[in-house]
Amino acid sequence: KQEVTQIPAALSVPEGENLVLNCSFTDSAIYNLQWFRQDPGKGLTSLLLIQSSQREQTSGRLNASLDKSSGRSTLYIAASQPGDSATYLCAVRPRSYIPTFGRGTSLIVHP
Amino acid sequence: DTEVTQTPKHLVMGMTNKKSLKCEQHMGHRAMYWYKQKAKKPPELMFVYSYEKLSINESVPSRFSPECPNSSLLNLHLHALQPEDSALYLCASSQDFAGIRETQYFGPGTRLLVL
């Protein structure tokens, strides 16, 4: 059974720092990996999707990488801002196609 | 337009009530999902509809009954729920269910409280 782990569970940083959030998964036979952002009590907002054949994807200040063989993905946030404060979730799509989520990293960026 | 809408936003119901949650998307997506999310936990998949047919039921109790009237609408009928069913219920959609490019788009959720 696919298991997804996100480290750290929580992170508090001053504005302007560059951040790295980690996601690891136990079964490397995945179709894709998707990063989401969730604000408290709200739905999930898709940030980036990386297909299994890709190594990275970029959107603005966000860059996500995927190393399928080692079962790892990282989300890099450049020049963090208070508006980036949220919970960041990664989800993998295994061979069963059933998305499996990590527990998330709760990020606080303080001014 | 990448919007998934859900109604109601909040719902309080007693254990003997019958209520329904509604989800709608107009992106032409053929896969729709129901998730349940408890506080500080990741979303847990409940059901998947693909081309208006129920494809996946993750051993969900029968007091939850999904329905897909057409390709744009997804309902979740609730009956005789328990207090432990209180959670945020999220709907999502994607272009298709199987495929390496399938991005899921989520709605804002319905916050359900069962008394």
Side-chain angles (χ1 to χ4, degrees):
Chain A
K1 180 185 174 185
Q2 179 75 266
E3 291 182 7
V4 181
T5 303
Q6 289 189 245
I7 294 173
L11 191 59
S12 180
V13 299
E15 183 176 6
E17 278 204 6
N18 299 324
L19 308 172
V20 176
L21 309 183
N22 298 292
C23 172
S24 61
F25 44 96
T26 54
D27 186 349
S28 62
I30 64 169
Y31 287 109
N32 63 46
L33 184 147
Q34 193 167 358
W35 282 94
F36 295 91
R37 167 192 172 131
Q38 186 173 31
D39 292 291
K42 306 290 186 183
L44 279 67
T45 300
S46 177
L47 298 174
L48 291 163
L49 179 137
I50 311 177
Q51 298 172 30
S52 59
S53 58
Q54 297 176 323
R55 293 300 298 260
E56 66 178 312
Q57 284 286 329
T58 299
S59 176
R61 294 183 294 110
L62 304 179
N63 176 279
S65 66
L66 175 64
D67 184 343
K68 206 171 67 162
S69 61
S70 66
R72 292 180 184 178
S73 176
T74 60
L75 179 66
Y76 176 82
I77 303 175
S80 58
Q81 303 170 357
D84 295 330
S85 299
T87 296
Y88 290 81
L89 295 151
C90 69
V92 300
R93 203 58 102 109
R95 289 193 187 279
S96 66
Y97 293 106
I98 296 174
T100 304
F101 283 80
R103 295 174 68 99
T105 293
S106 177
L107 173 66
I108 296 175
V109 181
H110 47 88
Chain B
D1 181 10
T2 57
E3 188 179 26
V4 176
T5 60
Q6 289 187 245
T7 55
K9 291 184 179 179
H10 303 276
L11 180 63
V12 180
M13 61 187 290
M15 290 189 284
T16 58
N17 293 157
K18 285 186 182 180
K19 297 286 184 183
S20 296
L21 309 184
K22 180 180 172 182
C23 173
E24 195 164 2
Q25 56 87 15
H26 295 287
M27 296 178 276
H29 289 175
R30 303 314 299 265
M32 297 186 77
Y33 311 72
W34 279 117
Y35 287 86
K36 172 183 177 180
Q37 186 179 28
K38 303 282 275 185
K40 299 194 184 299
K41 294 287 181 66
E44 297 175 6
L45 185 67
M46 299 174 72
F47 303 103
V48 180
Y49 273 83
S50 180
Y51 290 84
E52 300 161 50
K53 287 188 169 58
L54 184 62
S55 295
I56 290 178
N57 176 341
E58 286 288 91
S59 302
V60 179
S62 60
R63 57 186 184 269
F64 295 91
S65 175
E67 179 197 19
C68 189
N70 59 56
S71 59
S72 300
L73 278 175
L74 185 66
N75 297 320
L76 186 62
H77 302 298
L78 314 172
H79 174 54
L81 294 193
Q82 304 296 312
E84 59 264 29
D85 296 322
S86 299
L88 181 67
Y89 287 84
L90 295 164
C91 174
S93 72
S94 63
Q95 182 65 40
D96 206 334
F97 177 53
I100 64 173
R101 300 187 186 84
E102 298 313 323
T103 297
Q104 286 190 83
Y105 296 92
F106 280 78
T110 293
R111 175 73 61 188
L112 174 67
L113 178 61
V114 182
L115 300 176

